[in-house]
Amino acid sequence: MRDAAHRPPRRSARLGMAALAALVVAALGTGCGSSESAKPERPQPKAGAGMAGGALDQAAKAKAAAQARIAATKKWGLAKVPLSAPPAPKEKPEITAREGFEVEDQENLPPVFTTVPTEDKVVFLTIDDGAEKDPQFVKMMQELQIPYTAFLSDYLVRDNYKYFKGMQATGVTLNNHTLNHRYMPGLSYEKQRREICGQQETIHKEFGTVPKLFRPPYGNYNEDTLKAAKSCGIAYVPIWNAEAFPDKMEYREWDRDLHPGDIILTHFRGREDWKGTMPDMVRQVMKTVTDKGYAVARLEDYL
């Protein structure tokens, strides 16, 4: 097989205003009564005042977060403020192999898929290999609150595990892209297993996690690849439906467009390989995604 390439809650707001009004009335009442009594009574809290206060706190936090995102949008030169993804689904969609991407014994093997079945207008950003280690990229994504998923190859990562530990500390999941980024169908089952399981062990040793996601290099795989991946603890094999560069987007589908649940591929690359930097790539992909009315969601939240 080959891969071709919050509207604020009105009720809460009203409740908050009502609570504030109640508190003002209570304060005024206490002030008038204090001249009539040597020991003025302490005002009793109104029922629901705590809940209203909590709602106001949440609203304040949401407003602060939105303002921070607007500021980050200006700072990093994005054309528009990124749309916020909806809450992660409580009931996860069923993931099956994409039609035409199955292997003979597919029922018992991790599914290869390019799109997550969802009606949410979201897409998922995934980044491969680990060659470019741009600190500005990590800072940019953290300040903009854009989620993404990394697929790492150890031969490109081992010279700077610290960079990816910093990325992991921001909430990014680090997944398997083999030890040496080799063409998997050209290897025996044993060698494929060494590439996949070896990277599982490396990620566990260096980052303290065991990946459930695996992406074969170049999107190429065969039945042995999926069997080896399963034996190494892999549950899903997401590939991609669109690819992002600093100056363009490329698509798999005939309509050359994004669709709900599409997985977008890009790479850890810089000017040596691209006509721009990783922040340039983010500006390009976010302009496309936002112009089309999509938000970037976290892939793992849907699996």
Side-chain angles (χ1 to χ4, degrees):
M1 296 287 180
R2 173 160 184 151
D3 208 291
H6 284 310
R7 169 176 81 185
R10 296 181 179 176
R11 186 176 179 183
S12 296
R14 290 171 180 166
L15 179 57
M17 293 299 292
L20 284 172
L23 289 171
V24 170
V25 170
L28 289 173
T30 302
C32 292
S34 61
S35 62
E36 300 172 5
S37 173
K39 294 183 179 180
E41 293 184 4
R42 185 175 298 173
Q44 297 299 311
K46 301 247 179 215
M51 293 176 62
L56 287 171
D57 287 344
Q58 289 186 356
K61 289 178 181 178
K63 182 178 180 180
Q67 290 174 336
R69 205 173 199 196
I70 291 170
T73 298
K74 294 179 180 178
K75 173 182 176 179
W76 293 103
L78 271 66
K80 297 179 180 178
V81 178
L83 300 174
S84 297
K90 293 181 179 179
E91 185 175 339
K92 309 304 180 184
E94 180 183 359
I95 306 295
T96 58
R98 174 171 170 152
E99 185 177 357
F101 288 65
E102 312 96 328
V103 295
E104 187 173 345
D105 191 27
Q106 185 61 66
E107 184 179 352
N108 300 308
L109 294 174
V112 178
F113 58 102
T114 64
T115 301
V116 173
T118 179
E119 294 182 0
D120 294 343
K121 201 163 183 183
V122 298
V123 292
F124 307 100
L125 182 61
T126 64
I127 312 180
D128 280 10
D129 62 48
E132 183 74 6
K133 303 165 184 70
D134 186 347
Q136 291 296 101
F137 165 75
V138 178
K139 186 177 181 180
M140 178 185 194
M141 299 299 273
Q142 185 176 17
E143 291 182 2
L144 288 166
Q145 303 169 47
I146 299 173
Y148 59 101
T149 298
F151 291 88
L152 305 181
S153 292
D154 190 60
Y155 86 105
L156 292 171
V157 172
R158 64 170 68 110
D159 67 332
N160 196 347
Y161 287 133
K162 183 179 179 180
Y163 175 81
F164 296 96
K165 286 180 180 178
M167 183 179 293
Q168 183 184 38
T170 70
V172 176
T173 303
L174 308 179
N175 293 291
N176 194 322
H177 198 43
T178 73
L179 286 170
N180 300 295
H181 205 276
R182 300 183 63 185
Y183 176 73
M184 301 301 277
L187 303 179
S188 66
Y189 170 80
E190 290 76 14
K191 288 183 177 179
Q192 291 197 54
R193 192 171 186 279
R194 195 175 308 147
E195 283 286 326
I196 302 170
C197 289
Q199 183 65 339
Q200 292 286 88
E201 293 168 3
T202 298
I203 291 176
H204 182 239
K205 176 184 176 182
E206 299 296 334
F207 305 106
T209 61
V210 180
K212 292 295 183 183
L213 277 60
F214 163 67
R215 175 173 285 161
Y218 316 107
N220 297 118
Y221 63 96
N222 58 18
E223 190 167 336
D224 278 349
T225 312
L226 302 187
K227 287 181 177 178
K230 180 181 179 180
S231 75
C232 300
I234 296 298
Y236 301 100
V237 183
I239 45 179
W240 61 91
N241 217 25
E243 186 169 358
F245 301 88
D247 58 341
K248 63 181 178 179
M249 291 280 290
E250 293 184 353
Y251 303 92
R252 177 190 303 277
E253 305 297 348
W254 65 271
D255 59 358
R256 297 181 55 78
D257 204 356
L258 292 176
H259 314 87
D262 273 359
I263 299 170
I264 300 174
L265 162 72
T266 191
H267 291 82
F268 291 97
R269 294 282 189 271
R271 292 191 180 278
E272 291 184 3
D273 303 288
W274 278 346
K275 297 177 182 179
T277 64
M278 292 195 71
D280 291 331
M281 176 275 296
V282 175
R283 283 185 277 270
Q284 169 66 32
V285 71
M286 292 311 300
K287 183 181 188 309
T288 302
V289 168
T290 307
D291 282 351
K292 293 178 180 292
Y294 286 88
V296 176
R298 185 174 178 270
L299 177 61
E300 291 81 358
D301 289 344
Y302 283 72
L303 302 179

